[in-house]
Amino acid sequence: EIVLTQSPGTLSLSPGERATLSCRASQSVSSSYLAWYQQKPGQAPRLLIYGASSRATGIPDRFSGSGSGTDFTLTISRLEPEDFAVYYCQQYGETFGQGTKVEIK
Amino acid sequence: QVQLVQSGAEVKKPGSSVKVSCKASGGTFSSYDISWVRQAPGQGLQWMGGIIPIFATANYAQRFQGRVTLTTDESTSTAYMELRSLRSEDTAVYYCARLIAAAGHFDSWGQGTLVTVSS
């Protein structure tokens, strides 16, 4: 069973700063099946990135994904107020990371 | 654009069962791959299982095997998740989501259904 470990658990940043979130897999995974989601309190998760680096429909270009093998990264180039949320990585449907909370510093 | 609308919140006693519905619109329901994902309070996302209506065969996460049943009704474009032998640890928000099987991600989500298990 593949385990996804996200780091850090919490990221404290100010609007306008760059956020770098990590997702590490316990074994190599296909980048075709690596996705990222954003979740705000009281809302369902929203797809941001699929195939490790493709933005979902309507997602601003300040969000980008990269990586391969066991190490993947979600980058938010300049944080907007609406970007403060919890982010999850996911590998082919069944496996989610534990999440990274991006909070306002 | 696929829309998924779930049934309302439930309060259940330990040992009982709950059945949550997820009605789909926009697209061909029979070909969807519908998964159920739950989220306990303050916790992360946990995949429970998935079903494709046209095949009527479900697959389940090991930890829920034997306690959860996924079904669909193509006549109403609705998917159902039944969880039995409820315990307090099953208190969570339950989401349905459409899986894009070729790529393994969920592109549409229901709004979530809170199930509270309490005596």
Side-chain angles (χ1 to χ4, degrees), chain B residues 29-57:
Chain B
F29 177 73
S30 61
S31 65
Y32 292 175
D33 190 327
I34 297 289
S35 279
W36 291 84
V37 176
R38 80 175 187 182
Q39 186 171 39
Q43 302 300 307
L45 302 166
Q46 192 174 50
W47 181 79
M48 300 178 68
I51 186 168
I52 302 175
I54 197 169
F55 298 133
T57 301

PDB file of all heavy atoms in Angstrom, chain B residues 29-57:
ATOM      1  N   PHE B  29     -24.648   9.180 -16.624  1.00  0.00           N
ATOM      2  CA  PHE B  29     -24.451   8.621 -15.288  1.00  0.00           C
ATOM      3  C   PHE B  29     -23.913   7.199 -15.336  1.00  0.00           C
ATOM      4  O   PHE B  29     -23.053   6.832 -14.541  1.00  0.00           O
ATOM      5  CB  PHE B  29     -25.769   8.658 -14.528  1.00  0.00           C
ATOM      6  CG  PHE B  29     -25.706   8.041 -13.152  1.00  0.00           C
ATOM      7  CD1 PHE B  29     -25.048   8.687 -12.114  1.00  0.00           C
ATOM      8  CD2 PHE B  29     -26.296   6.803 -12.892  1.00  0.00           C
ATOM      9  CE1 PHE B  29     -24.986   8.123 -10.849  1.00  0.00           C
ATOM     10  CE2 PHE B  29     -26.242   6.240 -11.638  1.00  0.00           C
ATOM     11  CZ  PHE B  29     -25.587   6.896 -10.608  1.00  0.00           C
ATOM     12  N   SER B  30     -24.418   6.390 -16.267  1.00  0.00           N
ATOM     13  CA  SER B  30     -24.060   4.969 -16.262  1.00  0.00           C
ATOM     14  C   SER B  30     -22.572   4.736 -16.447  1.00  0.00           C
ATOM     15  O   SER B  30     -22.037   3.708 -16.036  1.00  0.00           O
ATOM     16  CB  SER B  30     -24.858   4.209 -17.326  1.00  0.00           C
ATOM     17  OG  SER B  30     -24.566   4.734 -18.613  1.00  0.00           O
ATOM     18  N   SER B  31     -21.886   5.697 -17.056  1.00  0.00           N
ATOM     19  CA  SER B  31     -20.459   5.534 -17.307  1.00  0.00           C
ATOM     20  C   SER B  31     -19.580   6.189 -16.242  1.00  0.00           C
ATOM     21  O   SER B  31     -18.357   6.068 -16.286  1.00  0.00           O
ATOM     22  CB  SER B  31     -20.090   6.100 -18.678  1.00  0.00           C
ATOM     23  OG  SER B  31     -20.298   7.501 -18.692  1.00  0.00           O
ATOM     24  N   TYR B  32     -20.203   6.851 -15.272  1.00  0.00           N
ATOM     25  CA  TYR B  32     -19.418   7.488 -14.218  1.00  0.00           C
ATOM     26  C   TYR B  32     -18.744   6.435 -13.354  1.00  0.00           C
ATOM     27  O   TYR B  32     -19.246   5.324 -13.199  1.00  0.00           O
ATOM     28  CB  TYR B  32     -20.305   8.323 -13.293  1.00  0.00           C
ATOM     29  CG  TYR B  32     -20.925   9.552 -13.880  1.00  0.00           C
ATOM     30  CD1 TYR B  32     -21.832  10.297 -13.128  1.00  0.00           C
ATOM     31  CD2 TYR B  32     -20.628   9.984 -15.155  1.00  0.00           C
ATOM     32  CE1 TYR B  32     -22.427  11.444 -13.636  1.00  0.00           C
ATOM     33  CE2 TYR B  32     -21.216  11.124 -15.671  1.00  0.00           C
ATOM     34  CZ  TYR B  32     -22.115  11.847 -14.901  1.00  0.00           C
ATOM     35  OH  TYR B  32     -22.707  12.969 -15.412  1.00  0.00           O
ATOM     36  N   ASP B  33     -17.643   6.823 -12.737  1.00  0.00           N
ATOM     37  CA  ASP B  33     -17.026   6.028 -11.684  1.00  0.00           C
ATOM     38  C   ASP B  33     -17.200   6.863 -10.413  1.00  0.00           C
ATOM     39  O   ASP B  33     -16.544   7.886 -10.250  1.00  0.00           O
ATOM     40  CB  ASP B  33     -15.541   5.810 -12.006  1.00  0.00           C
ATOM     41  CG  ASP B  33     -14.888   4.795 -11.093  1.00  0.00           C
ATOM     42  OD1 ASP B  33     -15.279   4.706  -9.904  1.00  0.00           O
ATOM     43  OD2 ASP B  33     -13.978   4.083 -11.551  1.00  0.00           O
ATOM     44  N   ILE B  34     -18.124   6.459  -9.577  1.00  0.00           N
ATOM     45  CA  ILE B  34     -18.470   7.238  -8.383  1.00  0.00           C
ATOM     46  C   ILE B  34     -17.792   6.626  -7.168  1.00  0.00           C
ATOM     47  O   ILE B  34     -17.964   5.434  -6.876  1.00  0.00           O
ATOM     48  CB  ILE B  34     -19.987   7.267  -8.156  1.00  0.00           C
ATOM     49  CG1 ILE B  34     -20.706   7.956  -9.313  1.00  0.00           C
ATOM     50  CG2 ILE B  34     -20.302   7.957  -6.824  1.00  0.00           C
ATOM     51  CD1 ILE B  34     -20.491   9.450  -9.395  1.00  0.00           C
ATOM     52  N   SER B  35     -17.025   7.443  -6.484  1.00  0.00           N
ATOM     53  CA  SER B  35     -16.387   7.017  -5.237  1.00  0.00           C
ATOM     54  C   SER B  35     -17.013   7.726  -4.051  1.00  0.00           C
ATOM     55  O   SER B  35     -17.671   8.763  -4.201  1.00  0.00           O
ATOM     56  CB  SER B  35     -14.882   7.331  -5.265  1.00  0.00           C
ATOM     57  OG  SER B  35     -14.149   6.368  -5.971  1.00  0.00           O
ATOM     58  N   TRP B  36     -16.794   7.150  -2.898  1.00  0.00           N
ATOM     59  CA  TRP B  36     -17.200   7.752  -1.639  1.00  0.00           C
ATOM     60  C   TRP B  36     -15.953   7.965  -0.782  1.00  0.00           C
ATOM     61  O   TRP B  36     -15.118   7.063  -0.633  1.00  0.00           O
ATOM     62  CB  TRP B  36     -18.214   6.874  -0.926  1.00  0.00           C
ATOM     63  CG  TRP B  36     -19.540   6.847  -1.648  1.00  0.00           C
ATOM     64  CD1 TRP B  36     -19.882   6.041  -2.694  1.00  0.00           C
ATOM     65  CD2 TRP B  36     -20.666   7.685  -1.396  1.00  0.00           C
ATOM     66  NE1 TRP B  36     -21.157   6.331  -3.114  1.00  0.00           N
ATOM     67  CE2 TRP B  36     -21.669   7.319  -2.330  1.00  0.00           C
ATOM     68  CE3 TRP B  36     -20.953   8.691  -0.474  1.00  0.00           C
ATOM     69  CZ2 TRP B  36     -22.916   7.934  -2.373  1.00  0.00           C
ATOM     70  CZ3 TRP B  36     -22.194   9.300  -0.503  1.00  0.00           C
ATOM     71  CH2 TRP B  36     -23.172   8.925  -1.452  1.00  0.00           C
ATOM     72  N   VAL B  37     -15.857   9.174  -0.246  1.00  0.00           N
ATOM     73  CA  VAL B  37     -14.705   9.585   0.552  1.00  0.00           C
ATOM     74  C   VAL B  37     -15.253  10.182   1.843  1.00  0.00           C
ATOM     75  O   VAL B  37     -16.202  10.967   1.800  1.00  0.00           O
ATOM     76  CB  VAL B  37     -13.871  10.641  -0.203  1.00  0.00           C
ATOM     77  CG1 VAL B  37     -12.726  11.157   0.665  1.00  0.00           C
ATOM     78  CG2 VAL B  37     -13.334  10.061  -1.518  1.00  0.00           C
ATOM     79  N   ARG B  38     -14.680   9.811   2.973  1.00  0.00           N
ATOM     80  CA  ARG B  38     -15.179  10.404   4.205  1.00  0.00           C
ATOM     81  C   ARG B  38     -14.089  11.209   4.901  1.00  0.00           C
ATOM     82  O   ARG B  38     -12.891  11.019   4.677  1.00  0.00           O
ATOM     83  CB  ARG B  38     -15.743   9.337   5.142  1.00  0.00           C
ATOM     84  CG  ARG B  38     -14.728   8.555   5.962  1.00  0.00           C
ATOM     85  CD  ARG B  38     -15.458   7.634   6.918  1.00  0.00           C
ATOM     86  NE  ARG B  38     -14.538   6.987   7.841  1.00  0.00           N
ATOM     87  CZ  ARG B  38     -14.928   6.100   8.765  1.00  0.00           C
ATOM     88  NH1 ARG B  38     -16.212   5.760   8.871  1.00  0.00           N
ATOM     89  NH2 ARG B  38     -14.040   5.555   9.565  1.00  0.00           N
ATOM     90  N   GLN B  39     -14.549  12.110   5.776  1.00  0.00           N
ATOM     91  CA  GLN B  39     -13.636  12.990   6.506  1.00  0.00           C
ATOM     92  C   GLN B  39     -14.157  13.174   7.920  1.00  0.00           C
ATOM     93  O   GLN B  39     -15.180  13.836   8.136  1.00  0.00           O
ATOM     94  CB  GLN B  39     -13.543  14.345   5.784  1.00  0.00           C
ATOM     95  CG  GLN B  39     -12.511  15.283   6.374  1.00  0.00           C
ATOM     96  CD  GLN B  39     -12.302  16.503   5.502  1.00  0.00           C
ATOM     97  OE1 GLN B  39     -13.236  17.060   4.930  1.00  0.00           O
ATOM     98  NE2 GLN B  39     -11.052  16.929   5.374  1.00  0.00           N
ATOM     99  N   ALA B  40     -13.484  12.554   8.869  1.00  0.00           N
ATOM    100  CA  ALA B  40     -13.840  12.715  10.277  1.00  0.00           C
ATOM    101  C   ALA B  40     -13.507  14.145  10.705  1.00  0.00           C
ATOM    102  O   ALA B  40     -12.673  14.810  10.078  1.00  0.00           O
ATOM    103  CB  ALA B  40     -13.083  11.700  11.116  1.00  0.00           C
ATOM    104  N   PRO B  41     -14.125  14.618  11.775  1.00  0.00           N
ATOM    105  CA  PRO B  41     -13.907  15.997  12.212  1.00  0.00           C
ATOM    106  C   PRO B  41     -12.427  16.316  12.418  1.00  0.00           C
ATOM    107  O   PRO B  41     -11.729  15.601  13.143  1.00  0.00           O
ATOM    108  CB  PRO B  41     -14.683  16.072  13.530  1.00  0.00           C
ATOM    109  CG  PRO B  41     -15.756  15.049  13.393  1.00  0.00           C
ATOM    110  CD  PRO B  41     -15.140  13.931  12.599  1.00  0.00           C
ATOM    111  N   GLY B  42     -11.951  17.344  11.731  1.00  0.00           N
ATOM    112  CA  GLY B  42     -10.570  17.770  11.873  1.00  0.00           C
ATOM    113  C   GLY B  42      -9.537  16.837  11.256  1.00  0.00           C
ATOM    114  O   GLY B  42      -8.330  17.031  11.454  1.00  0.00           O
ATOM    115  N   GLN B  43      -9.994  15.847  10.515  1.00  0.00           N
ATOM    116  CA  GLN B  43      -9.087  14.849   9.954  1.00  0.00           C
ATOM    117  C   GLN B  43      -8.997  14.960   8.431  1.00  0.00           C
ATOM    118  O   GLN B  43      -9.622  15.835   7.818  1.00  0.00           O
ATOM    119  CB  GLN B  43      -9.570  13.449  10.339  1.00  0.00           C
ATOM    120  CG  GLN B  43      -9.682  13.213  11.834  1.00  0.00           C
ATOM    121  CD  GLN B  43      -8.356  13.400  12.543  1.00  0.00           C
ATOM    122  OE1 GLN B  43      -7.342  12.802  12.165  1.00  0.00           O
ATOM    123  NE2 GLN B  43      -8.325  14.240  13.562  1.00  0.00           N
ATOM    124  N   GLY B  44      -8.222  14.062   7.840  1.00  0.00           N
ATOM    125  CA  GLY B  44      -8.018  14.063   6.403  1.00  0.00           C
ATOM    126  C   GLY B  44      -9.071  13.263   5.657  1.00  0.00           C
ATOM    127  O   GLY B  44     -10.110  12.889   6.199  1.00  0.00           O
ATOM    128  N   LEU B  45      -8.780  13.007   4.392  1.00  0.00           N
ATOM    129  CA  LEU B  45      -9.711  12.344   3.485  1.00  0.00           C
ATOM    130  C   LEU B  45      -9.405  10.854   3.403  1.00  0.00           C
ATOM    131  O   LEU B  45      -8.248  10.448   3.306  1.00  0.00           O
ATOM    132  CB  LEU B  45      -9.585  12.981   2.090  1.00  0.00           C
ATOM    133  CG  LEU B  45      -9.853  14.488   2.054  1.00  0.00           C
ATOM    134  CD1 LEU B  45      -9.388  15.082   0.733  1.00  0.00           C
ATOM    135  CD2 LEU B  45     -11.330  14.778   2.287  1.00  0.00           C
ATOM    136  N   GLN B  46     -10.479  10.063   3.422  1.00  0.00           N
ATOM    137  CA  GLN B  46     -10.329   8.603   3.454  1.00  0.00           C
ATOM    138  C   GLN B  46     -11.236   7.992   2.399  1.00  0.00           C
ATOM    139  O   GLN B  46     -12.469   8.130   2.483  1.00  0.00           O
ATOM    140  CB  GLN B  46     -10.713   8.111   4.853  1.00  0.00           C
ATOM    141  CG  GLN B  46     -10.371   6.687   5.180  1.00  0.00           C
ATOM    142  CD  GLN B  46     -10.677   6.390   6.645  1.00  0.00           C
ATOM    143  OE1 GLN B  46     -11.759   6.669   7.147  1.00  0.00           O
ATOM    144  NE2 GLN B  46      -9.704   5.816   7.338  1.00  0.00           N
ATOM    145  N   TRP B  47     -10.646   7.325   1.399  1.00  0.00           N
ATOM    146  CA  TRP B  47     -11.433   6.683   0.348  1.00  0.00           C
ATOM    147  C   TRP B  47     -12.097   5.427   0.894  1.00  0.00           C
ATOM    148  O   TRP B  47     -11.454   4.597   1.541  1.00  0.00           O
ATOM    149  CB  TRP B  47     -10.518   6.322  -0.820  1.00  0.00           C
ATOM    150  CG  TRP B  47     -11.201   5.675  -1.974  1.00  0.00           C
ATOM    151  CD1 TRP B  47     -11.938   6.287  -2.940  1.00  0.00           C
ATOM    152  CD2 TRP B  47     -11.179   4.285  -2.314  1.00  0.00           C
ATOM    153  NE1 TRP B  47     -12.403   5.359  -3.845  1.00  0.00           N
ATOM    154  CE2 TRP B  47     -11.945   4.121  -3.482  1.00  0.00           C
ATOM    155  CE3 TRP B  47     -10.610   3.156  -1.716  1.00  0.00           C
ATOM    156  CZ2 TRP B  47     -12.141   2.888  -4.087  1.00  0.00           C
ATOM    157  CZ3 TRP B  47     -10.788   1.926  -2.318  1.00  0.00           C
ATOM    158  CH2 TRP B  47     -11.560   1.793  -3.494  1.00  0.00           C
ATOM    159  N   MET B  48     -13.390   5.283   0.604  1.00  0.00           N
ATOM    160  CA  MET B  48     -14.146   4.136   1.115  1.00  0.00           C
ATOM    161  C   MET B  48     -14.387   3.075   0.047  1.00  0.00           C
ATOM    162  O   MET B  48     -14.402   1.879   0.339  1.00  0.00           O
ATOM    163  CB  MET B  48     -15.501   4.594   1.654  1.00  0.00           C
ATOM    164  CG  MET B  48     -15.412   5.594   2.780  1.00  0.00           C
ATOM    165  SD  MET B  48     -17.026   6.131   3.323  1.00  0.00           S
ATOM    166  CE  MET B  48     -17.679   4.632   4.061  1.00  0.00           C
ATOM    167  N   GLY B  49     -14.630   3.510  -1.173  1.00  0.00           N
ATOM    168  CA  GLY B  49     -14.917   2.568  -2.238  1.00  0.00           C
ATOM    169  C   GLY B  49     -15.457   3.284  -3.458  1.00  0.00           C
ATOM    170  O   GLY B  49     -15.706   4.498  -3.415  1.00  0.00           O
ATOM    171  N   GLY B  50     -15.642   2.539  -4.545  1.00  0.00           N
ATOM    172  CA  GLY B  50     -16.133   3.136  -5.771  1.00  0.00           C
ATOM    173  C   GLY B  50     -16.993   2.162  -6.554  1.00  0.00           C
ATOM    174  O   GLY B  50     -16.923   0.939  -6.345  1.00  0.00           O
ATOM    175  N   ILE B  51     -17.823   2.704  -7.451  1.00  0.00           N
ATOM    176  CA  ILE B  51     -18.723   1.879  -8.250  1.00  0.00           C
ATOM    177  C   ILE B  51     -18.967   2.543  -9.595  1.00  0.00           C
ATOM    178  O   ILE B  51     -19.001   3.776  -9.697  1.00  0.00           O
ATOM    179  CB  ILE B  51     -20.062   1.658  -7.501  1.00  0.00           C
ATOM    180  CG1 ILE B  51     -20.966   0.673  -8.249  1.00  0.00           C
ATOM    181  CG2 ILE B  51     -20.787   2.982  -7.240  1.00  0.00           C
ATOM    182  CD1 ILE B  51     -22.170   0.200  -7.437  1.00  0.00           C
ATOM    183  N   ILE B  52     -19.072   1.727 -10.635  1.00  0.00           N
ATOM    184  CA  ILE B  52     -19.449   2.205 -11.961  1.00  0.00           C
ATOM    185  C   ILE B  52     -20.814   1.619 -12.279  1.00  0.00           C
ATOM    186  O   ILE B  52     -20.962   0.398 -12.359  1.00  0.00           O
ATOM    187  CB  ILE B  52     -18.433   1.768 -13.031  1.00  0.00           C
ATOM    188  CG1 ILE B  52     -17.037   2.285 -12.671  1.00  0.00           C
ATOM    189  CG2 ILE B  52     -18.852   2.283 -14.411  1.00  0.00           C
ATOM    190  CD1 ILE B  52     -15.941   1.796 -13.605  1.00  0.00           C
ATOM    191  N   PRO B  53     -21.824   2.472 -12.436  1.00  0.00           N
ATOM    192  CA  PRO B  53     -23.193   1.968 -12.610  1.00  0.00           C
ATOM    193  C   PRO B  53     -23.351   0.946 -13.721  1.00  0.00           C
ATOM    194  O   PRO B  53     -24.044  -0.061 -13.544  1.00  0.00           O
ATOM    195  CB  PRO B  53     -23.990   3.243 -12.901  1.00  0.00           C
ATOM    196  CG  PRO B  53     -23.232   4.312 -12.202  1.00  0.00           C
ATOM    197  CD  PRO B  53     -21.782   3.938 -12.348  1.00  0.00           C
ATOM    198  N   ILE B  54     -22.714   1.163 -14.857  1.00  0.00           N
ATOM    199  CA  ILE B  54     -22.925   0.279 -15.994  1.00  0.00           C
ATOM    200  C   ILE B  54     -22.405  -1.126 -15.701  1.00  0.00           C
ATOM    201  O   ILE B  54     -22.905  -2.105 -16.251  1.00  0.00           O
ATOM    202  CB  ILE B  54     -22.285   0.866 -17.269  1.00  0.00           C
ATOM    203  CG1 ILE B  54     -22.848   0.183 -18.509  1.00  0.00           C
ATOM    204  CG2 ILE B  54     -20.769   0.767 -17.219  1.00  0.00           C
ATOM    205  CD1 ILE B  54     -22.477   0.871 -19.799  1.00  0.00           C
ATOM    206  N   PHE B  55     -21.442  -1.242 -14.800  1.00  0.00           N
ATOM    207  CA  PHE B  55     -20.918  -2.552 -14.433  1.00  0.00           C
ATOM    208  C   PHE B  55     -21.565  -3.086 -13.159  1.00  0.00           C
ATOM    209  O   PHE B  55     -21.506  -4.288 -12.889  1.00  0.00           O
ATOM    210  CB  PHE B  55     -19.400  -2.503 -14.254  1.00  0.00           C
ATOM    211  CG  PHE B  55     -18.666  -2.126 -15.517  1.00  0.00           C
ATOM    212  CD1 PHE B  55     -17.674  -1.164 -15.497  1.00  0.00           C
ATOM    213  CD2 PHE B  55     -18.957  -2.745 -16.713  1.00  0.00           C
ATOM    214  CE1 PHE B  55     -17.002  -0.817 -16.661  1.00  0.00           C
ATOM    215  CE2 PHE B  55     -18.294  -2.409 -17.881  1.00  0.00           C
ATOM    216  CZ  PHE B  55     -17.313  -1.439 -17.847  1.00  0.00           C
ATOM    217  N   ALA B  56     -22.135  -2.177 -12.361  1.00  0.00           N
ATOM    218  CA  ALA B  56     -22.813  -2.557 -11.110  1.00  0.00           C
ATOM    219  C   ALA B  56     -21.926  -3.373 -10.185  1.00  0.00           C
ATOM    220  O   ALA B  56     -22.422  -4.171  -9.388  1.00  0.00           O
ATOM    221  CB  ALA B  56     -24.105  -3.314 -11.411  1.00  0.00           C
ATOM    222  N   THR B  57     -20.645  -3.173 -10.301  1.00  0.00           N
ATOM    223  CA  THR B  57     -19.703  -3.867  -9.419  1.00  0.00           C
ATOM    224  C   THR B  57     -18.923  -2.831  -8.647  1.00  0.00           C
ATOM    225  O   THR B  57     -18.366  -1.903  -9.223  1.00  0.00           O
ATOM    226  CB  THR B  57     -18.732  -4.737 -10.236  1.00  0.00           C
ATOM    227  OG1 THR B  57     -19.489  -5.693 -10.978  1.00  0.00           O
ATOM    228  CG2 THR B  57     -17.779  -5.468  -9.311  1.00  0.00           C
TER     229      THR B  57
END
